[in-house]
């Protein structure tokens, strides 16, 4: 067994390893991997330790969940949609195009049964997961040229993965697989035309603005992507009840903590990027409508044969209608008024 | 001293009492008071207990912070603006008109130094506090008649307290003090014209829709009000370091948990209220603009003589500009697209 036995003793000594899907340079993502370990260690006088390892230190960033499933390491910090190729239902715990924003995703996860539904699916791979961060709505990425119509997307070589890539492919985009370190040079040379990443705080560090200045929004494939802490189910089951409860509480705290950090750092990143010449551009309504239509076609195709996908997606969709009804009322109108003041310089 | 001494032993036995400012009937607010105790107890095998008491069981709802300051009880779950009469700076840790939305408030608190700044202020009263919930943008309340112009506000008898009442008073509203149980009858008889409360999930339980069907939004005085867990500073200082860390983590988790619960329950409450005949009405731009102007006048007056207020408010205002710049980009445009789909029935 991976875990120490659940002995009847307060704060038994347990040391786990957590492999992150992120490099240390992504300080908000990897920082919150470390934050979880810090919280657990402090609360148990150092007895419950989860040590963090960056992507590649133990296993590759995209092998994190597999390593935990196999029991090679006890825990990982990853994003469900990295594994959508194994089964598209993986993506539904994190983000799919035109799903919920961060607050909606959290509400569905913690109160709408989302955590349990996703864990029913993850249990097939001997995993249990809890939300472990959210970026908020991401940006649509960096483009060398303006993209105004659907025609402009045809033949566009874009570094974009997962579901979004599959959907864009139907609209003529040619998704590119490229190691992170090669993206800048490829953009500069024009080997690729565009790249999607995260949002201003992370993007600002990469310098794409110098070679692909058109910064599009919104990232319709990541309206409120949830990062996950995942644990080997045997290891989890071997934890004392007190540690299980502490771990869930710490995950929920760090989940919130990441969004708070992004919400603090993204505005500053955006201001910096604008100073560096970033040209903000909204995706046109024509493009968003087409992407929405194609996304729904893809969902319908998958649902026809994949029960796990259908169960999760139906649950999200049912709440999505209610969430975007209520969001139109108090919050949206408050934000709109405040944004008008921001534009008028009266804040 | 209030607290058990910090003895060198894992999970020492500590039992605190927490007095809530809320009645048990407000299940989201009081429910999350209890949630904190549950998390702490579970994580310490029952050794760190915080027992919850509803408003009035130990002290009145509006005396919660005073009781903790005096050391009568160790902890409370309350809202800073209840105490604005003692010093308006109290309100800045929770909400003042036209301040930050929930996510912005959280970002400022956890990463913008807001928690420490507010605690510097609270320390004068021997208190330390941490965010302990947020409702999201509240509704503007229930009105017997439509309110279209500033003239319609003149002489309006509205049950509204605190800062919002002070500001509305300058626009001719006559704020009313009324015990919770008397509000319905007063609205029915027309003794009062309007009442502000929280949002659909809470409001739906009170039945105001039957006697004051115009349901206005947004509650511009509560864009993202933060509820607080507050602790007697001596009691806090007496906690073992492990319990301090655990308590902060549990507060952050429950802080998020409350918003998650509201975001799940408010849409359902809204749908119920619409079925009961609620007439949704936005405050007119004329009214919002006038309220914003008067709010800024009030802030300028207070800042002129109150350094603590100025320090906190300057810090919030600086971030508020950045937050509402960034919010215009990815999140707002994503939400807008999704709301259009909701209205078109395509979600």
């Amino acid at each position: 067994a991976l875990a120490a036995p659940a002995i009847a003793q307060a704060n038994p000594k347990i040391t786990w390893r957590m492999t992150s899907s992120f490099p240390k340079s992504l300080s908000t993502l990897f920082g919150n991997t470390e934050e979880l370990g810090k919280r657990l260690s402090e609360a148990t006088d150092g007895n419950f330790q989860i040590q963090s390892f960056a992507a590649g230190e133990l296993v590759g960033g995209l092998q994190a969940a597999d390593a935990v499933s196999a029991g090679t390491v006890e825990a990982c910090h990853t994003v469900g949609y990295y594994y959508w190729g194994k089964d598209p239902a993986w993506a539904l715990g994190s983000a799919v195009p035109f799903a919920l924003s961060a607050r909606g995703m959290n509400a569905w996860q913690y109160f709408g049964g989302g955590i349990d539904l996703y864990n029913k699916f993850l249990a097939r791979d001997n995993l249990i997961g809890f939300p472990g961060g959210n970026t908020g709505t991401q940006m649509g990425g960096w483009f060398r040229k303006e993209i105004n119509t659907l025609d402009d997307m045809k033949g566009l070589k874009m570094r974009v993965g997962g579901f979004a890539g599959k959907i864009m492919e139907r609209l003529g985009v040619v998704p590119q697989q490229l190691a992170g370190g090669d993206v800048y040079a490829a953009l500069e040379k024009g080997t690729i035309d565009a790249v999607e990443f995260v949002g201003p705080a992370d993007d600002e560090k990469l310098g794409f603005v110098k070679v692909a200045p058109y910064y599009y929004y919104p990232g319709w494939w990541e309206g409120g992507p949830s990062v996950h802490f995942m644990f080997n189910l045997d290891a989890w089951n071997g934890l004392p009840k007190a540690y299980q409860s502490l771990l869930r509480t710490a995950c929920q705290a760090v989940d919130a903590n990441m969004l708070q950090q992004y919400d603090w750092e993204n505005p500053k990143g955006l201001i910096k990027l604008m100073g560096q010449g970033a040209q903000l551009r909204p995706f046109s309504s024509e493009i968003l409508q087409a992407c929405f239509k194609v996304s729904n076609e893809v969902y319908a195709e998958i649902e026809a044969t994949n029960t796990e996908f259908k169960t999760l997606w139906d649950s999200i969709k049912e709440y999505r209608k209610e969430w975007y009804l209520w969001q139109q009322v108090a919050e949206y109108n408050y934000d709109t008024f405040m944004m008008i003041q921001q534009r008028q310089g009266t804040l």
Side-chain angles (χ1 to χ4, degrees), chain A residues 122-137:
Chain A
L122 293 179
R124 299 194 317 187
D125 286 309
N126 202 33
L127 294 167
I128 184 168
F130 304 105
N134 201 301
T135 61
T137 304

Side-chain angles (χ1 to χ4, degrees), chain A residues 140 142-147 149-160 168-169 171-176 191-195 216 283 287:
Chain A
W142 299 91
F143 292 71
R144 283 166 55 92
K145 291 184 187 150
E146 289 190 79
I147 301 294
T149 64
L150 282 171
D151 267 353
D152 294 337
M153 292 180 76
K154 298 216 162 69
L156 191 85
K157 292 183 296 260
M158 182 166 181
R159 184 179 185 252
V160 54
M168 287 190 205
E169 211 165 13
L171 296 168
V173 171
V174 189
Q176 307 288 308
T191 317
I192 62 171
D193 304 303
V195 59
Y216 274 83
F283 284 122
I287 287 176

Side-chain angles (χ1 to χ4, degrees), chain A residues 11-62:
Chain A
N11 295 350
K13 199 99 190 162
I14 289 177
T15 304
W16 280 2
R17 296 183 305 168
M18 173 170 284
T19 185
S20 169
S21 287
F22 316 109
K24 287 187 180 165
S25 57
L26 291 175
S27 54
T28 302
L29 288 159
F30 188 73
N32 278 288
T33 310
E34 290 181 311
E35 186 70 19
L36 182 75
K38 183 170 169 283
R39 306 285 184 109
L40 295 172
S41 174
E42 283 180 1
T44 59
D45 286 312
N47 286 303
F48 188 8
Q49 299 274 352
I50 296 189
Q51 300 161 346
S52 298
F53 297 89
E57 288 192 300
L58 300 178
V59 296
L62 304 181

Side-chain angles (χ1 to χ4, degrees), chain A residues 159 176-184 186:
Chain A
R159 184 179 185 252
Q176 307 288 308
Q177 303 294 332
L178 225 68
D182 300 333
V183 175
Y184 186 93

Side-chain angles (χ1 to χ4, degrees), chain A residues 31-339:
Chain A
N32 278 288
T33 310
E34 290 181 311
E35 186 70 19
L36 182 75
K38 183 170 169 283
R39 306 285 184 109
L40 295 172
S41 174
E42 283 180 1
T44 59
D45 286 312
N47 286 303
F48 188 8
Q49 299 274 352
I50 296 189
Q51 300 161 346
S52 298
F53 297 89
E57 288 192 300
L58 300 178
V59 296
L62 304 181
Q63 281 78 52
D66 292 320
V68 177
S69 178
T72 314
V73 290
E74 295 85 359
C76 67
H77 197 201
T78 192
V79 189
Y81 57 53
Y82 289 157
Y83 313 98
W84 78 282
K86 291 157 44 128
D87 187 324
W90 272 91
L92 293 169
S94 50
V96 296
F98 303 102
L100 294 159
S101 59
R103 274 177 53 182
M105 187 64 183
N106 280 339
W108 174 73
Q109 288 176 315
Y110 288 96
F111 284 88
I115 290 175
D116 290 343
L117 268 186
Y118 195 50
N119 277 330
K120 215 171 151 184
F121 170 73
L122 293 179
R124 299 194 317 187
D125 286 309
N126 202 33
L127 294 167
I128 184 168
F130 304 105
N134 201 301
T135 61
T137 304
Q138 296 194 2
M139 291 294 285
W142 299 91
F143 292 71
R144 283 166 55 92
K145 291 184 187 150
E146 289 190 79
I147 301 294
N148 296 308
T149 64
L150 282 171
D151 267 353
D152 294 337
M153 292 180 76
K154 298 216 162 69
L156 191 85
K157 292 183 296 260
M158 182 166 181
R159 184 179 185 252
V160 54
F163 241 92
K166 188 184 171 84
I167 283 154
M168 287 190 205
E169 211 165 13
R170 296 200 181 190
L171 296 168
V173 171
V174 189
Q176 307 288 308
Q177 303 294 332
L178 225 68
D182 300 333
V183 175
Y184 186 93
L187 266 182
E188 193 173 26
K189 281 182 211 148
T191 317
I192 62 171
D193 304 303
V195 59
E196 68 101 20
F197 207 62
V198 182
D202 291 327
D203 293 13
E204 187 267 320
K205 294 166 194 156
L206 302 168
F208 297 147
V209 63
K210 282 176 274 182
V211 287
Y214 298 102
Y215 197 22
Y216 274 83
Y217 62 86
W220 45 266
W221 52 95
E222 313 225 35
S226 180
V227 178
H228 264 80
F229 291 116
M230 291 183 192
F231 306 96
N232 179 282
L233 195 51
D234 297 326
W236 167 265
N237 287 333
L239 281 182
K241 290 279 171 242
Y243 280 9
Q244 284 185 352
S245 177
L246 170 63
L247 187 47
R248 286 197 70 152
T249 292
C251 286
Q252 192 176 15
V254 172
D255 180 30
N257 201 68
M258 186 190 288
L259 184 61
Q260 288 151 4
Q261 189 171 0
Y262 270 116
D263 284 345
W264 179 254
E265 293 182 3
N266 273 329
K268 293 175 199 307
L270 180 68
I271 290 164
K272 232 186 234 183
L273 284 167
M274 285 165 75
Q276 293 166 5
Q279 303 288 315
L280 288 172
R281 293 288 182 279
F283 284 122
S284 67
S285 174
E286 180 194 356
I287 287 176
L288 288 178
Q289 289 287 352
C291 296
F292 182 61
K293 190 167 164 282
V294 173
S295 300
N296 288 335
E297 287 166 12
V298 171
Y299 300 145
E301 288 166 24
I302 300 172
E303 281 184 318
T305 59
N306 185 327
T307 318
E308 284 80 6
F309 188 94
K310 187 169 162 40
T311 303
L312 279 157
W313 187 228
D314 281 351
S315 174
I316 292 172
K317 278 197 296 183
E318 191 184 338
Y319 175 62
R320 187 177 62 164
K321 275 187 219 174
E322 298 175 357
W323 172 245
Y324 282 111
L325 168 69
W326 161 235
Q327 275 298 282
Q328 286 169 50
V329 185
E331 195 93 20
Y332 191 76
N333 282 275
Y334 186 80
D335 278 349
T336 302
F337 181 83
M338 297 303 284
M339 287 172 196

